[in-house]
Amino acid sequence: MAFPLTDGTETAARPNWLTAAKNRLQQLLAFASLIVIFTFFALANSAFPTYSNVINILFSTVVIGTLALGTTFVIITGGIDLSIGTGMALCAVMSGVFIVDAGLPVALGVPAAVLFGGLIGLVNGVNVAVLKLPPFIATLAMMLVAQGLALVISKSTPIYFSDHPGYTKISTGELIPALNIPNAVVVLLAAAVLAGFLLSRTLLGRYTYSIGSNEAATALSGINVRRWKVVVYTLAGLFTGLAGVLISARLGSAQPATGMGYELQAIAAVVIGGTSLAGGKGSIIGTMIGALIISVLNNGLQIMSIPQEWQNVILGLVILVAVYADMVRKKET
Amino acid sequence: MSNHLLEVAGVHKAFPGVRALSDMHLTLRAGEVLALVGENGAGKSTLMKLLSGGYRPDAGSFRLNGEPFVPQNPRHALHAGISIIHQEFNLMPHLTVAQNIFIGREPRRGPLLSERELNRRAADLVARLGLPLDIRAVVGGLTVASQQMVEIAKALSYDARVFIMDEPTAALNDAEVATLHGLIRRFVRPDTGVIYISHRLDELKAISDRITVIRDGRYVDTLATAATTTREIITLMVGRALTSDARPVDVRPGREVVLDVRGLSTGPLLRDVSFTLGKGEILGFAGLMGAGRTEVARAIVGADRTTGGTIRLHGRPVRIHNPAEAARLGIGYLSEDRKHLGLLLEHDVSDNVALSSLRERFTRWGLVDRPATRRTATDLVRRLAVRTPSVRQPTKYLSGGNQQKVVIAKWLVKDCDVLIVDEPTRGIDVGAKEEIYALLNDLARQGKSIIMISSELPEVLRMSHRIAVMTEGRVSGILAAGDASQESVMHLATLRPNENPADAAELGLPDPRRPDAAPDRGPTEPKAV
Ligand SMILES: Nc1ncnc2c1ncn2[C@@H]1O[C@H](COP(=O)(O)OP(=O)(O)OP(=O)(O)O)[C@@H](O)[C@H]1O
Ligand SMILES: [Mg+2]
């Protein structure tokens, strides 16, 4: 330390625990709003806070939650994926094709459907990272392609899994009998833990943040940005495939005409959870809380017999408030 | 074996409408610091981007340690032993200091990142380099100077043999520059070399062994530093001689007060800042980095919230809530962070020049009068010697210094009564600096009032009619041009009233050790009780 340094006021280190506490508080705030909304409904209607209704809420979080996991990665890189909704429908159809039409055993058909989702994501990734198409455009195109393909492949009719009770168990079975928790919820939890792990503890996660924070700098640091972006979109595709399996197992059928609109709900969950659309910032915990907020709202408003139209209005307002609150919070730190 | 570490021979590079480099050559010897100088747009950064594999040369070759070297991409250049600090920041604002330094080389245990090992290595590194950095701090929250320190730590952490720095000191004050120079001297060993690009010619004397001058993308000459004067270098750079011992012009007391600031305070830093600004006056703001000069400007134009104080403009009290309101009242602020706050990079020069005065000057019947914006822009491009093929060139293609000139042009067009310029000549070459000084003097003569914040003391001294010196968020003194000298300014800038009772007494402040003085202290100096 032989050299004279600055007057030191600028680099004065803020104690580390303070930063950590602040970060935790940030997540706590999203969590707190979830609790507030929950309490509100619980007070408003006694049918709301029952065990079976809570399980209901969790069950209805599964599809949006799974889609939102992959979307979190994409959005943190500063991208967007609009193809996850119809991509999910296409994967459900493919699952039907593999298991019902081609007669593959469930244990093979399910991974195949998930991998098919990965393939969709891979194409997105190549379009975005290699061909340098804007993510919005590339995935908008994929959204249309996937919807069309789902209809073409299924000849516009649902594929039923009635002869494959093992398949529907994936969502509706109860692995842990005493608790009455559907398997789909367990799968979502496992997927969330995996995603959280990938995002916070692996290179993939680090580069996801890095690319979203400053893509040019990441490239200049010797990182193969192109490859990691392809990986991120592929990962989102894998989660899309998983969501396709979960939704078709839950319904007992693959519905080719559905899917549109789910991508926006998933994006909403991610954004409510504090992930910035500008990239560089976000968390899986936040996304899960965001997804829960959406399903608590849907469920609670339904129980209070608020019409669907008004539910949408309220959800829209919640998104505005959540994102605004997040911005205010950021300004203060 | 020759001792030529890096050779550049016959390199050409053209962009649409611009010849950035023609038949460029230079040689970096092992064990030396080679300074590379040239005017804004001379092609310095372009050469560095060619070396990092960011661009491909149209013709010519590089040799590294005598071997042909064709950089493919940034990673390849890093592996070959070339580490570059680029002129623009290349940091990830959302990541921590440690994560930024070791990006791409994260220590892992199995498939998992080892954050503890990462932080240990980063702590080691900054301790070894003696840099005042909190490795766990998020980079986006750091000051420009600290961010530059992170870049330096990062670049030095590669086991490089050739270390290239493109204007590393543009954002640093003198003490920090000294720190950097110490690091460079430690880095240079018999088998390594440094290429050092800077517009601060006084530094070159201190750090370099040889100086290569380029002009208009061509090699001009290479000189041994010890046997060269600054004047010679400038003459080679700009192709003519410049005189630089000018003094402030038109200094006189008793000017009509235009801006009167009393007791200005902000939560985090500023304490009771008071000063006046006269019509046609140039008021310099000096101080160490972090003293609060930029914060004063931001508080005045309403970019930061104030917690106390009054501002009178032409005698009338005003409350300014945001910079747009300030601009409407005739107060312009040219920010120090021009890349982020000053330019629309995708838009062309004339759009940028006209941007903040579109409504007042360039609109007819509600439509933008494009020919008028182009005429004005063309005129300013000529006056400021902005190097661009035309005013319709997107600003992202301009060299760093030329981008800054565009921002300055924007505020010149705006025609404010009060113009606050924050580090107006940072990254600008000597010739263009003179142009900017002349323009500021011109504006003052026309009756505009100017606040000039600068870390370059010689510049403050030669321009300011009066100098306000700041330390620890306070104005520690206001000197008239006649009384101001390097020594008197530095004395006021280094007073530390929050720690030192004698300094506090000199400024008429309460003893900082007395507990009742505590609420008035800046927040960044925690004191053990
Ligand atoms: N990508 C690009 N497209 C078009 N022109 C470019 C591009 N990059 C650089 N130029 C032009 O090439 C010339 C050299 O630019 P360069 O950035 O190398 O200058 P410099 O010597 O680093 O200047 P400064 O001191 O201002 O940083 C400039 O005229 C610039 O406008
Ligand atoms: Mg440059």
Side-chain angles (χ1 to χ4, degrees), chain B residues 95-157:
Chain B
L95 302 190
T96 67
V97 171
Q99 289 167 351
N100 263 284
I101 291 177
F102 287 105
I103 188 79
R105 297 166 296 155
E106 290 78 5
R108 274 177 292 168
R109 250 186 294 119
L112 296 189
L113 295 172
S114 171
E115 213 61 11
R116 177 183 307 207
E117 173 69 8
L118 175 76
N119 285 330
R120 200 185 57 70
R121 282 193 204 172
D124 255 21
L125 180 75
V126 297
R128 198 148 40 83
L129 300 179
L131 294 175
L133 287 171
D134 171 12
I135 55 155
R136 288 189 172 83
V138 174
V139 161
L142 300 179
T143 57
V144 183
S146 299
Q147 294 190 8
Q148 184 65 68
M149 293 292 181
V150 177
E151 288 264 29
I152 290 165
K154 178 179 165 189
L156 281 172
S157 71

Side-chain angles (χ1 to χ4, degrees), chain B residues 256-317:
Chain B
E256 168 198 341
V257 172
V258 172
L259 184 70
D260 185 356
V261 175
R262 289 279 137 233
L264 193 66
S265 302
T266 65
L269 186 60
L270 299 184
R271 294 284 172 274
D272 196 19
V273 171
S274 305
F275 64 90
T276 61
L277 176 67
K279 187 174 163 66
E281 184 179 44
I282 300 179
L283 177 65
F285 263 79
L288 299 179
M289 221 162 277
R293 295 164 302 162
T294 294
E295 284 72 11
V296 170
R298 291 178 57 89
I300 291 175
V301 299
D304 291 338
R305 227 178 23 195
T306 57
T307 52
T310 56
I311 298 172
R312 285 166 175 275
L313 190 63
H314 302 294
R316 230 171 304 136

Side-chain angles (χ1 to χ4, degrees), chain B residues 36-341:
Chain B
L36 183 62
V37 300
E39 289 178 288
N40 295 132
K44 304 178 298 291
S45 300
T46 303
L47 183 58
M48 300 313 126
K49 284 181 192 149
L50 292 175
L51 278 169
S52 70
Y55 297 148
R56 296 291 166 80
D58 300 335
S61 64
F62 303 119
R63 295 178 89 79
L64 192 59
N65 297 316
E67 307 275 324
F69 171 59
V70 185
Q72 301 296 327
N73 55 43
R75 195 168 16 161
H76 178 214
L78 279 172
H79 281 262
I82 299 183
S83 175
I84 302 184
I85 300 179
H86 288 277
Q87 187 169 11
E88 321 72 54
F89 277 132
N90 278 297
L91 296 171
M92 278 61 76
H94 298 87
L95 302 190
T96 67
V97 171
Q99 289 167 351
N100 263 284
I101 291 177
F102 287 105
I103 188 79
R105 297 166 296 155
E106 290 78 5
R108 274 177 292 168
R109 250 186 294 119
L112 296 189
L113 295 172
S114 171
E115 213 61 11
R116 177 183 307 207
E117 173 69 8
L118 175 76
N119 285 330
R120 200 185 57 70
R121 282 193 204 172
D124 255 21
L125 180 75
V126 297
R128 198 148 40 83
L129 300 179
L131 294 175
L133 287 171
D134 171 12
I135 55 155
R136 288 189 172 83
V138 174
V139 161
L142 300 179
T143 57
V144 183
S146 299
Q147 294 190 8
Q148 184 65 68
M149 293 292 181
V150 177
E151 288 264 29
I152 290 165
K154 178 179 165 189
L156 281 172
S157 71
Y158 291 95
D159 206 10
R161 297 192 56 192
V162 178
F163 186 32
I164 300 176
M165 288 175 282
D166 197 349
E167 296 192 37
T169 54
L172 302 186
N173 66 22
D174 292 345
E176 291 157 338
V177 169
T179 308
L180 175 65
H181 286 181
L183 291 175
I184 292 174
R185 281 189 205 100
R186 270 162 57 187
F187 172 82
V188 176
R189 294 182 305 266
D191 61 339
T192 60
V194 174
I195 296 180
Y196 188 94
I197 299 172
S198 176
H199 288 295
R200 289 163 71 166
L201 300 180
D202 47 334
E203 287 177 6
L204 307 184
K205 281 270 171 210
I207 191 68
S208 71
D209 301 302
R210 297 190 305 150
I211 301 175
T212 292
V213 183
I214 68 176
R215 187 166 71 225
D216 296 333
R218 290 172 189 280
Y219 175 89
V220 175
D221 203 356
T222 299
L223 311 157
T225 307
T228 314
T229 63
T230 307
R231 196 173 292 263
E232 282 176 82
I233 301 168
I234 294 174
T235 309
L236 284 177
M237 260 174 76
V238 300
R240 67 198 147 94
L242 288 177
T243 50
S244 61
D245 26 12
R247 296 289 302 159
V249 294
D250 203 18
V251 183
R252 60 188 154 82
R255 291 175 187 270
E256 168 198 341
V257 172
V258 172
L259 184 70
D260 185 356
V261 175
R262 289 279 137 233
L264 193 66
S265 302
T266 65
L269 186 60
L270 299 184
R271 294 284 172 274
D272 196 19
V273 171
S274 305
F275 64 90
T276 61
L277 176 67
K279 187 174 163 66
E281 184 179 44
I282 300 179
L283 177 65
F285 263 79
L288 299 179
M289 221 162 277
R293 295 164 302 162
T294 294
E295 284 72 11
V296 170
R298 291 178 57 89
I300 291 175
V301 299
D304 291 338
R305 227 178 23 195
T306 57
T307 52
T310 56
I311 298 172
R312 285 166 175 275
L313 190 63
H314 302 294
R316 230 171 304 136
V318 288
R319 293 209 135 267
I320 302 173
H321 299 96
N322 53 54
E325 217 173 295
R328 255 199 313 282
L329 290 167
I331 305 178
Y333 173 51
L334 195 155
S335 125
E336 64 176 333
D337 186 0
R338 283 176 271 269
K339 207 53 175 280
H340 290 113
L341 308 174

Side-chain angles (χ1 to χ4, degrees), chain A residues 144-195:
Chain A
L144 297 171
V145 169
Q147 187 182 41
L149 281 181
L151 291 168
V152 169
I153 292 170
S154 65
K155 304 195 181 59
S156 303
T157 47
I159 306 175
Y160 291 94
F161 293 94
S162 332
D163 300 335
H164 302 269
Y167 187 74
T168 49
K169 283 251 153 49
I170 294 172
S171 271
T172 55
E174 285 164 12
L175 212 59
I176 321 162
L179 295 177
N180 291 329
I181 297 176
N183 287 344
V185 173
V186 180
V187 172
L188 172 63
L189 204 69
V193 169
L194 175 73

